[in-house]
Amino acid sequence: MTVRLTHTSDLTPAALDAVRDLLTDAFDGDFGDEDWDHTLGGVHALIQDERGPVAHGAVVMRRVRAGGRWRRVGYVEGVAVRADARRRGLGGQVMGALEGVIDRAYDFGALSASDEGARLYAARGWRVWGGRICAAGPGGVVRLPEEEGTTYVWVPPRTPPGDPVGDVSGDPVGELVFDWRDGDVL
């Protein structure tokens, strides 16, 4: 099975419905309208078989203040593998494709990991952000302590040493301030 990269705008309504069904099933029904909205508008990595989507992930653009300036960040959303196809490396294939997009198009990558997903991301070189996690909300900057310890970053190999985002050989530190969005901010 191969990964296909495609933008949301290139997916048919039927294809989008099939992806949403995969995500709803994979997250045991805990994948609502706002979660779906966060998954749209970027590049999707899809693996399909004769039954439809087997594995999916998306990377969407977010603005994040890091190191005193706002950056373009590839934020990973909706990573899931159909239950009958898990533990076969498909999640890793999807993440590899998304990491390539991040490496080519963004300053760095970020995501909020579940306990199950954290193992996959850590094994691929994603690092837990060691500093504060915040969001620029309607009333100003709001700290999100519940996201600290579950927010991971992917720093492209081209990132210069000493960049405030963190060198891949060390632990990322400092404060990340994400743009605000409805639903789960991260």
Side-chain angles (χ1 to χ4, degrees):
M1 290 190 238
T2 59
V3 178
R4 177 176 66 114
L5 289 174
T6 188
H7 192 273
T8 300
S9 64
D10 294 325
L11 292 169
T12 66
L16 288 168
D17 288 345
V19 169
R20 184 158 186 187
D21 289 344
L22 167 70
L23 295 172
T24 299
D25 290 345
F27 289 100
D28 296 323
D30 189 22
F31 192 83
D33 291 342
E34 289 167 336
D35 299 314
W36 178 240
D37 186 58
H38 297 167
T39 305
L40 302 175
V43 175
H44 300 259
L46 278 167
I47 299 175
Q48 298 194 107
D49 66 9
E50 65 282 348
R51 291 179 38 214
V54 177
H56 171 271
V59 62
V60 298
M61 206 271 307
R62 304 254 336 244
R63 300 292 286 175
V64 177
R65 190 176 71 204
R69 69 183 181 95
W70 288 94
R71 297 168 183 254
R72 289 173 36 86
V73 173
Y75 198 82
V76 174
E77 293 282 2
V79 176
V81 177
R82 201 172 62 207
D84 66 330
R86 292 183 182 148
R87 307 289 178 246
R88 295 187 355 210
L90 300 178
Q93 288 181 43
V94 164
M95 287 304 298
L98 297 177
E99 290 158 3
V101 171
I102 292 166
D103 288 352
R104 292 184 302 273
Y106 297 100
D107 292 332
F108 66 98
L111 58 82
S112 181
S114 66
D115 291 339
E116 288 181 15
R119 290 189 306 270
L120 169 66
Y121 308 130
R124 297 194 56 78
W126 287 73
R127 302 281 183 139
V128 173
W129 186 262
R132 290 169 48 116
I133 301 295
C134 303
V141 174
V142 177
R143 186 170 179 196
L144 304 171
E146 68 280 4
E147 297 294 344
E148 294 169 4
T150 63
T151 300
Y152 284 68
V153 295
W154 172 265
V155 182
R158 63 177 159 66
T159 303
D163 186 289
V165 169
D167 186 327
V168 293
S169 64
D171 290 326
V173 296
E175 179 179 76
L176 293 181
V177 180
F178 286 82
D179 55 352
W180 190 264
R181 62 184 185 176
D182 292 333
D184 292 331
V185 176
L186 294 194

